[in-house]
Amino acid sequence: MAESFNLLRRVRSLDIAPELPGYSGVVIFAGQDDDGNNIEYLAGDKNGTVLEITNEWGSQAQADAIYRKIRGYKYQPYKAAGTRIDPSAEIGDAVTVSDIYGGVFAKATTYGRHIVTDLEAPSKEEVEHEFQIQSPTNRQYERFTRSVRASLSITASKIAAEVEDRRAEDDILRATLNIHAQEIEAKVSKEGGNSSFSWKLLSTKFSVSGKNGEKFRVDEDGAFVNGEIRATSGKIGGFDIKSNYRAKRCA
């Protein structure tokens, strides 16, 4: 407690609830990790009353420090209406009213001819109800952080799906290339044609055949022709082929 005020019996009304068991532990909830698991820091144990705190920037050192401060402290619920407490009293200060000692956890001040303040330490049910003890600002912040976290998860899923699609396209492209390679290999070792005219493209030779057998072949030894050759120019061995040459018939 920051400061302590003793009001004696200077209150209009006082309602007192049973004192809670002493604090045995502190738990700080620090959000979630990348896998969606809750991050918690525990100091002490959970055998008695446990102080639960939500703090995205919490740490084990913070939990230990808070636990050392409140260990064994017994929470006293009360409602004190119409007090004349010092206006400088703040949330978190200590107060003694009649025979009870507690904290100032709710405060409503009325300004008029006299300054009157209603003080309260909520009962157990209200303390354990997160929406009762959480400020509107904290609730709005929590909703915002949850929304951002959900959006990031969805975006990550979309990115992962897109990567998988790219991988699928890559597999399709690789399969297409394999098919094309097989087609090229098949053409190198291909035979075609019919009984009148056929050809063979093998890894060792290229040949063309007609009705009466092979007419032309090219292999590692050279080119071979079996049949009539017609040409208008060129050379064959040491002979010149001329387009206007006419052979003389022998008598």
Side-chain angles (χ1 to χ4, degrees):
M1 305 291 182
E3 293 190 49
S4 181
F5 299 88
N6 191 343
L7 300 180
L8 300 176
R9 297 179 182 274
R10 297 192 298 271
V11 296
R12 185 174 67 245
S13 64
L14 178 63
D15 295 326
I16 303 173
E19 193 176 56
L20 273 62
Y23 281 100
S24 65
V26 175
V27 176
I28 297 180
F29 298 99
Q32 296 180 330
D33 58 20
D34 295 336
D35 297 325
N37 301 315
N38 292 332
I39 301 174
E40 299 181 7
Y41 301 102
L42 170 65
D45 56 53
K46 297 183 179 182
N47 295 328
T49 302
V50 178
L51 176 63
E52 296 181 350
I53 302 171
T54 300
N55 182 2
E56 293 280 342
W57 297 273
S59 65
Q60 187 62 52
Q62 290 180 2
D64 295 338
I66 296 172
Y67 175 63
R68 287 193 295 268
K69 290 286 186 179
I70 70 169
R71 181 173 50 187
Y73 171 76
K74 296 182 178 181
Y75 182 84
Q76 174 61 68
Y78 73 91
K79 289 183 180 181
T83 73
R84 299 293 181 87
I85 195 170
D86 190 323
S88 66
E90 297 178 344
I91 300 297
D93 289 339
V95 64
T96 301
V97 184
S98 185
D99 297 328
I100 65 106
Y101 174 80
V104 178
F105 300 112
K107 176 185 175 185
T109 301
T110 301
Y111 297 91
R113 183 177 180 181
H114 301 286
I115 300 177
V116 181
T117 303
D118 295 337
L119 304 176
E120 182 180 357
S123 64
K124 180 179 179 181
E125 290 75 14
E126 292 173 316
V127 169
E128 292 182 347
H129 198 297
E130 63 175 319
F131 296 103
Q132 290 289 339
I133 65 174
Q134 196 174 36
S135 69
T137 301
N138 288 342
R139 290 199 299 271
Q140 183 178 5
Y141 173 75
E142 184 178 351
R143 288 195 297 268
F144 171 74
T145 54
R146 287 178 179 175
S147 174
V148 172
R149 190 176 297 116
S151 297
L152 291 177
S153 298
I154 293 172
T155 303
S157 299
K158 289 183 178 179
I159 293 174
E162 186 174 356
V163 172
E164 292 300 325
D165 289 342
R166 290 292 183 269
R167 291 178 180 175
E169 291 177 3
D170 184 58
D171 292 339
I172 293 173
L173 178 60
R174 190 175 297 114
T176 302
L177 291 176
N178 290 338
I179 292 172
H180 287 176
Q182 291 173 3
E183 289 179 354
I184 294 172
E185 182 178 357
K187 289 181 179 179
V188 172
S189 302
K190 188 69 175 177
E191 299 182 19
N194 50 45
S195 58
S196 299
F197 176 80
S198 63
W199 54 273
K200 292 182 180 181
L201 178 58
L202 307 176
S203 59
T204 57
K205 69 175 182 178
F206 170 69
S207 63
V208 177
S209 300
K211 292 181 179 180
N212 299 323
E214 187 178 81
K215 300 297 182 181
F216 175 74
R217 183 180 79 250
V218 178
D219 57 24
E220 61 181 1
D221 296 325
F224 303 88
V225 178
N226 181 17
E228 182 179 352
I229 298 176
R230 296 185 182 185
T232 58
S233 62
K235 290 181 179 291
I236 298 179
F239 298 94
D240 293 331
I241 299 175
K242 297 181 179 180
S243 60
N244 57 357
Y245 177 75
R246 295 288 184 275
K248 295 182 178 179
R249 293 182 178 273
C250 297

